[in-house]
């Protein structure tokens, strides 16, 4: 796709940092970028030294034997000492680490001192159960404070956690437990979701029917709806943890000690156990969190709406914020319970200053309407963030204007489970923003867009996104499968990390993400990115969300098939269908005009909110659906399929109409 990605460059507003923001910003000049460009190893060594406490300093910054990296060789540190103890020791024990808001409306404020006690007790409990350095502990919980406590307790004693999102099925949980050969599983009796109880422990019971490595199951009482406890295997959290000593010395760990395994959500294939280690990972997340979110620990209230089951929760709810002594909000439930204004009620209640969420959520809020945010005082917000998918300019502007009151910068952060920390993002006191672009590589990070031959495509130009230099928070491999690590990420372009995403440089060298390359469409010999066509559709005032896929076509090779969710006050019609096709044609060109448009109530998404285009492709090509286990709502594809088969989606008339306009 290196040649001729059909791109549209309509009028784009630029947003320079306001003088007031820049004046207070942690980064407002190019010195970090300059240091990263001059020598990335010294840059990262400087970040590691400045931001973290090391019990033993490293003998070598980087040992690089592609694709295997060791960072901060021989260095020793404890992650939880850096995230908790040192803040208590420096007199900040009474600062709130987490304001936790339960879905039913209960709340807790957990200070750094309290967190230290909770983590120490839990760590002692794990030790009592025989958990040792290097062992794996599976965690399958809702968004309760004990989830973060359990993660940190593992880190304190050098056990690796494998957090499995609480929405996954018993099969998915079992597969992940068995792959990592976890010794212990930590869960809750249940989790609250839209006012109902999800019986997590029942799901765990089913998973544990065939998990030979599991010795014990720790169960936190959250919903108290009654569940079976298996004698000899299951222990209540309150019986085990509460009686432990609140002291557990933080032992120094090797910088390359395995910190966690996290299975990628996998829009395409079998989940991979991505491995992250101690020193490099913590350096990466601490450094990027500080500069991207411009964190002022004594003033800011930060809220990342992700779940700890995803990498965003690991890096930017737990490790990055705590390493920077932040005060964060942690929310248990969904955005529409008890009503569609819950997020905005939380922002108002806690005076949230920095909000980090996903485009899929933003588009949902757009669809619900401005009255929900409009009912709350959101003036505390000073910075907004986006992650997970390309954010289309329309959603960006809405986020900026409606949520940010027209004054907040937006940091669109590109990264992956594999990268551990953000790789591409604006720095809000420095970078002039263009809505929809993630802008530039982070300091010390080597990013490029290359063609099929692995060479830089030039500016402007489109192709494959790669990382050109090792970075501290890089994955150390795929658990149990070194060949897959090499094959997936390092074989396509020798010496370069291939991210699997398409991207382009605009005339000014800004980077625009174009979605997964597997999703790129080839129409009459032209590579067209799904992200751009979707963005053009969402640019229309009636459209809330859109997904497009290339389907087999006898004349053009592939034709574009669009699936469109309308905003609340719009109805599907033939006239609107025509209008949308013309709209896309006008914005991008006739080649990108969808051949068919299907109006639907919802799109198939992974549980982390990413659209699963593969399934839509199968619907449009009328093929079998394959693996749907990562879908958030398995019924949605069947509903779309029913509709798809019952509509006549060809419409030649519009071709003429649009050709006439060109
Ligand atoms: C952090 C996270 C990684 C994939 C990645 C890309 C997409 C993430 C993005 C983005 C465009 C952004 N992605 N952030 N695309 N702009 N700001 O989401 O990790 O779940 O592993 O997904 O998500 O396609 O390759 P993960």
């Amino acid at each position: 796709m290196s040649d001729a990605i059909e791109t549209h460059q309509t009028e784009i507003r630029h947003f320079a940092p306001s003088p007031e923001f820049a004046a207070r910003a942690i980064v407002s000049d190019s010195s970090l970028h300059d240091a990263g460009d001059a020598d990335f190893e010294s840059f990262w060594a400087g970040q590691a030294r400045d931001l973290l406490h090391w019990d033993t300093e490293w003998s070598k910054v980087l040992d690089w034997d592609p694709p295997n990296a060791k960072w901060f060789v021989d260095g020793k540190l404890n992650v939880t000492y850096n995230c908790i103890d040192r803040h208590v020791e420096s007199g900040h024990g009474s600062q709130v680490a987490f304001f936790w808001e339960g879905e039913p409306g209960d709340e807790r404020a957990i200070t750094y001192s309290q967190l230290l006690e909770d983590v120490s007790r839990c760590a002692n409990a794990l030790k009592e159960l025989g958990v040792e350095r290097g062992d794996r502990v599976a965690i399958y919980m809702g968004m309760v404070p004990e989830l973060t406590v359990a993660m940190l307790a593992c880190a304190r004693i050098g056990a690796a956690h494998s957090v499995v999102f609480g929405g996954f099925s018993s099969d998915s949980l079992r597969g992940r437990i068995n792959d990592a050969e976890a010794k212990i599983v930590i869960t809750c009796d249940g989790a609250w979701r839209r006012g109902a109880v999800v019986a997590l422990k029942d799901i765990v019971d089913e998973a544990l029917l065939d998990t030979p490595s599991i010795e014990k199951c720790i169960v936190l009482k959250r919903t108290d709806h009654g569940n079976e406890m298996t004698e000899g295997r299951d222990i209540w959290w309150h019986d085990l943890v509460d009686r432990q000593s609140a002291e557990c010395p933080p032992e120094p760990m090797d910088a390359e000690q395995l910190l966690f395994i996290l299975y990628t959500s996998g829009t395409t294939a079998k989940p991979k156990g991505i491995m992250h280690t101690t020193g490099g990972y913590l350096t990466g997340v601490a450094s990027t969190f500080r500069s991207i979110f411009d964190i002022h620990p004594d003033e800011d209230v930060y809220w990342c709406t992700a779940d700890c089951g995803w990498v965003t929760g690991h890096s930017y709810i737990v490790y990055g914020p705590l390493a920077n002594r932040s005060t964060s909000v942690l929310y248990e439930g969904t955005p529409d319970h008890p009503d569609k204004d819950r997020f905005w009620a939380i922002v108002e209640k806690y005076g949230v200053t920095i909000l980090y969420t996903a485009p899929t959520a933003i588009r949902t809020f757009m669809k619900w309407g401005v009255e929900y945010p409009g009912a709350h005082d959101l003036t505390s917000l000073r910075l907004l963030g986006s992650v997970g998918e390309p954010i289309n300019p329309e959603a960006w502007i809405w986020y900026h204007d409606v949520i940010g009151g027209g004054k907040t910068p937006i940091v669109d952060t590109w990264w992956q489970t594999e990268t551990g920390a953000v790789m591409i993002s604006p720095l809000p006191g420095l970078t002039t923003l263009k809505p929809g672009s993630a802008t530039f590589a982070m300091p010390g990070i080597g990013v490029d867009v290359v063609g099929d031959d692995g060479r830089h495509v030039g500016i402007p130009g489109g192709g494959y996104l790669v990382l050109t230099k090792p970075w501290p928070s890089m994955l150390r491999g795929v658990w149990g499968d070194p060949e897959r690590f090499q094959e997936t990420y390092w074989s396509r372009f020798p010496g370069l990390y291939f991210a699997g995403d398409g991207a382009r440089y605009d005339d000014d060298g800004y980077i625009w993400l174009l979605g997964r390359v597997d999703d790129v469409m080839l129409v009459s010999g032209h590579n067209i990115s799904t992200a751009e066509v979707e963005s053009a559709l969402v640019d229309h005032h009636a459209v809330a969300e859109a997904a497009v896929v290339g389907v087999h076509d006898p004349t053009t090779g592939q034709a574009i098939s669009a699936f469109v969710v309308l905003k609340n006050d719009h109805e599907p019609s033939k006239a609107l269908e025509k209008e949308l096709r013309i709209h896309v044609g006008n914005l991008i060109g006739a080649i990108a005009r969808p051949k068919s448009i299907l109006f639907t109530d919802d799109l198939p998404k992974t549980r982390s909110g990413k659209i699963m285009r593969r399934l839509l492709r199968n619907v449009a090509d009328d093929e079998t659906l394959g693996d749907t286990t990562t879908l958030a709502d398995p019924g949605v594809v069947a509903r779309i399929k029913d509709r798809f088969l019952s509509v006549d989606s060809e419409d030649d008339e519009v071709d003429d109409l649009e050709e006439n306009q060109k």
Side-chain angles (χ1 to χ4, degrees):
M1 59 175 260
S2 52
D3 58 336
I5 293 183
E6 305 295 320
T7 58
H8 71 288
Q9 191 121 48
T10 44
E11 276 301 292
I12 298 167
R13 277 162 72 196
H14 293 204
F15 295 79
S18 70
E20 305 82 68
F21 193 100
R24 294 194 61 249
I26 287 177
V27 179
S28 57
D29 64 28
S30 65
S31 50
L32 273 191
H33 277 295
D34 296 345
D37 290 345
D39 178 348
F40 75 99
E41 286 188 37
S42 330
F43 168 77
W44 285 115
Q47 292 291 296
R49 202 173 288 121
D50 292 350
L51 299 178
L52 302 180
H53 169 85
W54 294 79
D55 297 289
T56 308
E57 178 144 340
W58 52 89
S59 60
K60 192 172 177 203
V61 178
L62 171 65
D63 185 345
W64 180 222
D65 177 16
N68 299 306
K70 288 190 183 123
W71 281 86
F72 309 118
V73 181
D74 299 325
K76 294 204 179 342
L77 75 168
N78 185 286
V79 165
T80 61
Y81 179 81
N82 278 283
C83 287
I84 318 173
D85 306 51
R86 63 174 171 150
H87 307 320
V88 176
E89 287 171 10
S90 66
H92 296 95
S94 59
Q95 181 183 332
V96 172
F98 293 116
F99 284 115
W100 176 73
E101 169 104 354
E103 194 191 76
D106 45 342
E107 57 181 60
R108 275 159 63 187
I110 298 144
T111 62
Y112 275 94
S113 298
Q114 185 66 51
L115 189 62
L116 181 57
E117 285 189 17
D118 293 349
V119 169
S120 300
R121 283 204 172 89
C122 186
N124 284 329
L126 292 176
K127 281 194 200 163
E128 184 182 304
L129 297 184
V131 176
E132 290 173 4
R133 214 176 269 208
D135 286 344
R136 277 82 56 209
V137 173
I139 302 177
Y140 182 73
M141 303 172 91
M143 280 291 281
V144 288
E146 288 81 358
L147 166 53
T148 61
V149 168
M151 292 166 73
L152 291 158
C154 292
R156 195 158 185 91
I157 63 171
H161 53 71
S162 163
V163 182
V164 180
F165 173 58
F168 277 125
S169 65
S170 56
D171 281 350
S172 306
L173 175 61
R174 186 189 304 128
R176 287 159 168 78
I177 287 175
N178 286 339
D179 188 74
E181 295 180 276
K183 201 168 181 178
I184 305 278
V185 57
I186 308 179
T187 189
C188 304
D189 52 352
W192 289 110
R193 197 172 162 78
R194 291 203 177 85
V197 169
V198 182
L200 291 186
K201 176 60 168 52
D202 293 354
I203 299 169
V204 172
D205 283 342
E206 207 169 314
L208 297 193
L209 290 176
D210 187 16
T211 51
S213 60
I214 290 289
E215 293 171 11
K216 298 281 180 200
C217 171
I218 305 174
V219 188
L220 177 83
K221 195 171 270 187
R222 166 65 183 139
T223 50
D224 204 8
H225 62 283
N227 58 269
E228 299 283 322
M229 294 291 275
T230 300
E231 186 74 35
R233 185 195 70 190
D234 300 348
I235 325 153
W236 286 109
W237 176 292
H238 55 262
D239 287 339
L240 173 73
V241 178
D242 292 0
R243 64 178 163 75
Q244 301 290 332
S245 154
E247 271 178 42
C248 174
E251 290 167 51
M253 302 291 159
D254 192 271
E256 284 297 332
Q257 172 77 41
L258 184 65
L259 179 62
F260 65 84
I261 301 174
L262 182 59
Y263 288 84
T264 48
S265 52
T267 48
T268 45
K270 174 180 175 276
K272 299 183 274 288
I274 302 301
M275 299 196 283
H276 283 289
T277 59
T278 297
Y281 173 80
L282 198 64
T283 302
V285 298
S287 165
T288 51
F289 182 74
R290 178 169 177 274
S291 56
I292 294 169
F293 294 103
D294 187 45
I295 198 79
H296 291 68
D298 295 315
E299 291 140 47
D300 280 315
V301 178
Y302 162 84
W303 182 21
C304 167
T305 69
D307 190 284
C308 285
W310 314 122
V311 74
T312 305
H314 285 58
S315 300
Y316 298 109
I317 292 179
V318 182
Y319 294 112
L322 293 177
N324 281 282
R325 185 172 55 82
S326 309
T327 295
S328 302
V329 170
L330 204 61
Y331 172 53
E332 179 183 35
T334 60
D336 55 353
H337 188 82
D339 205 349
K340 297 188 173 73
D341 67 340
R342 185 65 184 272
F343 271 26
W344 318 122
I346 291 175
V347 168
E348 182 172 12
K349 175 173 170 184
Y350 296 100
V352 172
T353 58
I354 304 168
L355 177 69
Y356 190 30
T357 193
T360 178
I362 298 163
R363 290 190 295 260
T364 303
F365 299 139
M366 289 172 76
K367 181 173 141 192
W368 288 344
V370 293
E371 59 270 31
Y372 296 104
H376 294 277
D377 179 1
L378 306 181
T379 51
S380 57
L381 289 170
R382 67 177 192 90
L383 177 59
L384 301 174
S386 172
V387 60
E389 283 192 296
I391 178 165
N392 47 293
E394 182 82 2
W396 196 105
I397 295 285
W398 188 91
Y399 195 28
H400 179 265
D401 289 353
V402 176
I403 305 305
K407 66 177 170 65
T408 53
I410 297 179
V411 285
D412 174 9
T413 60
W414 180 89
W415 60 295
Q416 308 177 298
T417 304
E418 293 86 340
T419 67
V422 174
M423 300 285 108
I424 305 175
S425 172
L427 299 179
L430 175 67
T431 315
T432 294
L433 308 170
K434 295 188 188 184
S437 167
T439 73
F440 305 108
M442 287 293 291
I445 298 297
V447 171
D448 202 0
V449 180
V450 299
D452 288 310
D453 56 1
R455 303 245 285 271
H456 171 71
V457 289
I459 294 176
Y464 305 94
L465 187 72
V466 295
L467 300 174
T468 58
K469 291 185 282 207
W471 64 101
S473 65
M474 65 198 288
L475 75 165
R476 298 301 195 264
V478 175
W479 177 262
D481 203 343
E483 274 128 59
R484 200 165 171 208
F485 173 54
Q486 161 74 35
E487 172 62 28
T488 310
Y489 306 104
W490 301 96
S491 63
R492 180 126 184 197
F493 305 110
L496 301 173
Y497 170 89
F498 173 45
D501 284 15
R504 70 177 170 88
Y505 292 115
D506 71 11
D507 295 338
D508 304 320
Y510 278 62
I511 298 167
W512 296 72
L513 276 309
L514 299 175
R516 307 290 300 167
V517 292
D518 301 343
D519 291 334
V520 164
M521 304 168 294
L522 193 63
V523 182
S524 303
H526 298 272
N527 286 299
I528 299 179
S529 109
T530 50
E532 288 198 315
V533 182
E534 288 161 6
S535 177
L537 283 164
V538 179
D539 184 72
H540 189 279
H541 63 90
V543 176
E545 274 209 285
V548 302
V549 295
V551 293
H552 180 71
D553 184 275
T555 29
T556 54
Q558 281 192 318
I560 301 176
S561 196
F563 297 80
V564 169
V565 181
L566 294 176
K567 287 190 187 146
N568 274 357
D569 45 352
H570 293 271
E571 292 296 323
S573 69
K574 274 279 173 207
L576 181 57
E577 192 182 317
K578 279 183 195 172
E579 209 178 302
L580 291 178
R581 298 180 66 212
I582 293 168
H583 189 73
V584 175
N586 287 344
L587 282 181
I588 308 182
I591 189 87
R593 189 182 54 214
K595 181 155 189 191
S596 70
I597 293 182
L598 183 84
F599 295 107
T600 167
D601 295 335
D602 211 347
L603 297 170
K605 290 186 189 151
T606 64
R607 288 152 204 271
S608 64
K610 294 187 212 299
I611 298 168
M612 288 182 80
R613 293 182 188 76
R614 172 175 66 79
L615 296 179
L616 293 173
R617 223 162 23 231
N618 293 352
V619 169
D621 271 335
D622 197 19
E623 285 172 359
T624 53
L625 294 178
D627 182 16
T628 56
T629 49
T630 53
L631 265 182
D633 170 8
V636 69
V637 188
R639 292 198 297 279
I640 292 175
K641 192 159 185 151
D642 283 351
R643 271 196 61 75
F644 192 82
L645 296 177
S646 66
V647 293
D648 157 29
S649 49
E650 284 280 338
D651 191 342
D652 290 326
E653 210 183 318
V654 80
D655 293 355
D656 307 334
L657 242 174
E658 198 197 344
E659 294 309 343
N660 292 342
Q661 298 211 347
K662 288 266 103 184

